Amino acid sequence: MQDKAREGFVRLVPFILALTTAAMSARGSAELVLAERGKAAACAIVAAEDAGPSIRYAAEEIQRYVKELTGVELPIGATAKGLAIRLELTDEYGADGFRLLARPPDLLVRGGVRGCLYGAYELLETYGGVGWFASWRTVVPRLERLAVPAALDDVQRPAFTMRMTSWQDALRGDFAARLRLNGARAKLQERHGGAVCRFGKNMGSCHTFSFLLPPKKYFAEHPEYYALRRGKRELPENAARWGYTQPCLTNPDVLRIVTSNVLEAIKADPTAGVYGVSQNDNPRYCECPACAAVDAEEESHAGPVVRFVNAVAAEVERHYPNAIIETLAYQYSRKPPKKTRLRHNVMPCLCSIECDFHKPLDVSPYKSNVSFVDDIKGWTRQTDMLYLWDYTTNFRNYLHAFPNIMALQGNLKFFRANNVKYMFEQGDSLGLHADFGELRAWLLAKWMWNPDAPMAPLLDRFFKGYYGAAAPHARKVFDDLYSLPRDSVTQRLGIYEVVTSTNIPTAFFERAEKHWLAAAEAVKGDRICARNVEAAYLSTIFSLLYRLPRPRTVWVTRHPENFNYDRCRAYAQRLLAARKPFNLRFAENGEREKTFREEIAAMAAATMPTTGCDRAEVPASRLRLSVPGVRGEYAKDAGTLDGTAIKLFNTHYEWSVRLDLASVAYDPDVTYKVRVRVRVEKEPGAKGEAFWAGVYDTPAKKGRGSISVKAERCGDGYAWYDVCKWKPRDGQYFWLGPGRFKKNGGVSAIKSVWVDRIEISRVD
Ligand SMILES: [Zn+2]
């Protein structure tokens, strides 16, 4: 039965309730009544004793919710004489499919190891009106009686073999099972019928080469095992991230080592079933002549990957005939190879990471989407176990509005049409309340089961269920967001869109705030709905906060009253206070998360002076140093006024010390002066520039005054140097770099430059 019919049925409930049991016989047994409020249980739940934990759990779930629906506790037993809900395990509909069949006096719930449980949920959802909207939000209506049509015969099979999402709440086992999610990321137990497609330990679905061929272990002695890039085998400069390279896949020793490590990993976890052998998360594929020749022959960088993984899989099959080897079709390897076919025991995992997500993948004219359509068709011609990794949130700013919901159903229809079997919809697994995250997880689950379920009734159900009396207000935010125009080519909805992007106007968030405040009024006293509204409002607050002017940290103004951060501070304080209780996560990347937390904490603590001031000093600790460790470092130095300096190395002459004028409170159209306190450590006898400094105007692409100081002019200790006089504007910044020298073969005139502080003062 499809949703249209279901919704129709819900509307019919009052009518059915009006029927009496007598009407049943009069109308030729129009329905089977399973429970009636106030009456003794006339129906039993029957499950064979040896039917297994998931069947037993299905019986308990029916018992629990029928009692909540009607007040009637149905007994569970191995047999029954009269009316019974009979749970029967069968493979007829696959592991996840089921059949609900009314065969008076019985209602049969027949299904696979998970299917029987899903059939129980179908019964409760469709005929009882139970809604599971979040693990903390279940809606159970009060029914006078629970009945199903006497002619009920509903067979359902899911559209995808694996249905998985990483939205955090949907990883909880009980809730995941109620959403009919069966992927191994969810904490599914035996009682839920377990999970499908479990990956081996350390052999997950992505980026396992760094585990299988660790650069830490091999690179020093065997650089030739790793990618040749621009003529060199080397770990990139920022290789602090372990594994930030790729193997050379045409090197026979690499194949030998990786194969042996794969066999070891399978041996350590032989029941897993699937083992990932896949490229690391970076674009540094090998450019050596052998790899490049395969690339050319296969017209894709997937060529070396597939040939390599096929070879591993061939050896694996000799030892583990049932093991499946999974590999990524990701970024540079997304296009399938032209000649080589996947072995029958290799599963490709195709990833949509670079696409536009505002419209369905096959509808958006964005260039990566167009090529994605070709790529998926290529892969699906090669395999009947295509794994699809799709992206459903903004990974840079989880809380920021990410209007992809209108694309989700179309995407799942597109994936089904292209024979995808294993479906992974990646969400925010690190926090609990990304922008409309609960809605997204719920819809994805519904559509992974049945991509044809109509959207409008699903949206209505969710909003009413999840927000309660606040639903109309929450819906206004949603409808507003999804009515904003967006051009697929020039305004691609990418998964790293910045929070300040003008693709979503600030005016939208201002309107959203008003709706959330009205929503909060509507659910006052309803603890759970009030919390749901607050969580959603926090998302809006996050986006608004990052669109307000940042509090200034350096004050050289006679009019501090012109700078007011009350709103900014209030938002930041609210986010800060809610972060732990609401389990908020701002970004996927750990470094970015740390920066967000620090910025928000600083905004929450922002202070303003009450009196004006004409002069300020900014110590080194508050100046920005770019590429710390490479261009320079924060260092102790007794000669400074507070003990700390920025020490700049002589290996470069980049503008590396910086202060943005946007962080300075100054008076407009007034001339200021900046000077800097510096110590130069000279090379004995060397002549040339010791350092240079100035003010640059980014919008105007123009300097506003600068100095170049010769080493010969400098003494040994700290001294003040005047840099320039100018009229500050936001968008400008102060900069300083170590002295310039000839690019080819030149030598710096200094050992290092030590910056103590800068001073900004009003001239007129
Ligand atoms: Zn190579």
Side-chain angles (χ1 to χ4, degrees), residues 97-98 122 177 184 197-198 205 235 283 317 343 394 415 421 439 493 496 502 517 563 589 632 723:
F98 60 81
E122 176 70 22
C197 201
R198 184 170 81 76
S205 53
L235 292 178
E317 192 180 15
R343 275 192 110 249
N394 181 330
F415 296 145
K421 292 288 165 57
L439 169 62
L493 178 61
Y496 298 110
T502 53
L517 292 173
F563 300 83
N589 176 283
V723 177

Side-chain angles (χ1 to χ4, degrees), residues 476-536:
K476 278 182 190 154
V477 179
F478 180 86
D479 290 342
D480 189 357
L481 178 61
Y482 285 87
S483 65
L484 298 175
R486 194 183 260 261
D487 182 281
S488 306
V489 174
T490 59
Q491 297 172 296
R492 170 182 81 116
L493 178 61
I495 62 169
Y496 298 110
E497 185 161 290
V498 294
V499 61
T500 48
S501 161
T502 53
N503 288 337
I504 302 177
T506 301
F508 159 76
F509 296 105
E510 300 281 6
R511 294 192 295 271
E513 175 169 56
K514 291 197 175 74
H515 294 313
W516 290 128
L517 292 173
E521 274 300 309
V523 288
K524 256 188 182 162
D526 179 338
R527 192 178 56 83
I528 292 176
C529 288
R531 193 179 160 85
N532 291 349
V533 166
E534 174 69 9

Side-chain angles (χ1 to χ4, degrees), residues 52-71:
S54 66
I55 309 297
R56 174 80 202 174
Y57 183 60
E60 289 164 5
E61 288 283 85
I62 293 174
Q63 183 184 52
R64 171 184 170 178
Y65 284 104
V66 170
K67 185 165 185 193
E68 284 191 41
L69 285 163
T70 65

Side-chain angles (χ1 to χ4, degrees), residues 25-341:
S25 48
R27 295 170 63 91
S29 298
E31 57 177 358
L32 266 180
V33 179
L34 305 175
E36 277 189 279
R37 184 169 292 280
K39 292 195 180 171
C43 170
I45 305 167
V46 175
E49 302 240 312
D50 59 353
S54 66
I55 309 297
R56 174 80 202 174
Y57 183 60
E60 289 164 5
E61 288 283 85
I62 293 174
Q63 183 184 52
R64 171 184 170 178
Y65 284 104
V66 170
K67 185 165 185 193
E68 284 191 41
L69 285 163
T70 65
V72 180
E73 182 162 321
L74 306 182
I76 298 176
T79 57
K81 280 179 187 150
L83 179 61
I85 300 170
R86 292 184 187 275
L87 302 172
E88 294 176 4
L89 185 64
T90 171
D91 283 340
E92 222 174 304
Y93 314 101
D96 291 9
F98 60 81
R99 182 178 190 180
L100 292 185
L101 176 64
R103 205 168 60 189
D106 290 337
L107 171 65
L108 302 184
V109 182
R110 310 188 68 225
V113 65
R114 287 176 297 273
C116 206
L117 179 60
Y118 298 158
Y121 291 138
E122 176 70 22
L123 170 68
L124 295 165
E125 232 180 329
T126 300
Y127 303 100
V130 177
W132 291 283
F133 301 106
S135 63
W136 61 88
R137 178 62 175 168
T138 302
V139 174
V140 185
R142 182 191 155 94
L143 298 185
E144 289 309 310
R145 55 201 275 237
L146 173 67
V148 297
L152 173 63
D153 186 1
D154 180 15
V155 175
Q156 293 189 29
R157 288 185 184 88
F160 301 96
T161 305
M162 183 190 81
R163 302 169 305 282
M164 182 162 78
T165 176
S166 60
W167 285 98
Q168 193 185 70
D169 192 35
L171 299 175
R172 293 171 174 162
D174 286 349
F175 184 52
R178 286 166 187 154
L179 294 185
R180 305 181 200 176
L181 297 169
N182 66 355
R185 284 193 188 219
K187 294 190 175 50
L188 294 165
Q189 312 292 323
E190 248 194 320
R191 69 174 182 278
H192 307 119
V196 299
C197 201
R198 184 170 81 76
F199 281 79
K201 188 169 181 283
N202 294 322
M203 297 287 282
S205 53
C206 56
H207 317 315
T208 58
F209 276 152
S210 53
F211 166 73
L212 294 166
L213 191 79
K216 267 190 178 171
K217 184 170 173 185
Y218 296 108
F219 190 86
E221 281 198 28
H222 294 285
E224 75 279 10
Y225 289 180
Y226 296 91
L228 184 77
R229 300 287 300 177
R230 294 187 189 134
K232 286 182 189 160
R233 311 260 181 190
E234 61 182 15
L235 292 178
E237 196 180 41
N238 55 351
R241 270 182 65 192
W242 186 68
Y244 196 80
T245 182
Q246 303 286 358
C248 172
L249 295 174
T250 51
N251 182 314
D253 288 334
V254 170
L255 178 61
R256 180 178 51 77
I257 295 166
V258 167
T259 303
S260 147
N261 287 340
V262 169
L263 290 171
E264 280 299 306
I266 299 177
K267 195 173 163 191
D269 190 4
T271 59
V274 192
Y275 304 88
V277 178
S278 56
Q279 72 203 50
N280 297 326
D281 196 1
N282 67 72
R284 302 175 62 85
Y285 57 84
C286 185
E287 297 169 339
C288 80
C291 289
V294 180
D295 286 349
E297 210 181 319
E298 299 282 11
E299 294 178 14
S300 166
H301 299 302
V305 176
V306 170
R307 290 189 189 186
F308 182 88
V309 172
N310 273 353
V312 174
E315 186 60 21
V316 165
E317 192 180 15
R318 290 183 48 225
H319 305 268
Y320 302 97
N322 297 319
I324 301 294
I325 299 299
E326 178 261 14
T327 197
L328 291 178
Y330 175 65
Q331 296 181 335
Y332 63 78
S333 64
R334 203 185 74 177
K335 183 183 170 194
K338 194 180 174 195
K339 289 171 70 179
T340 305
R341 308 282 89 177

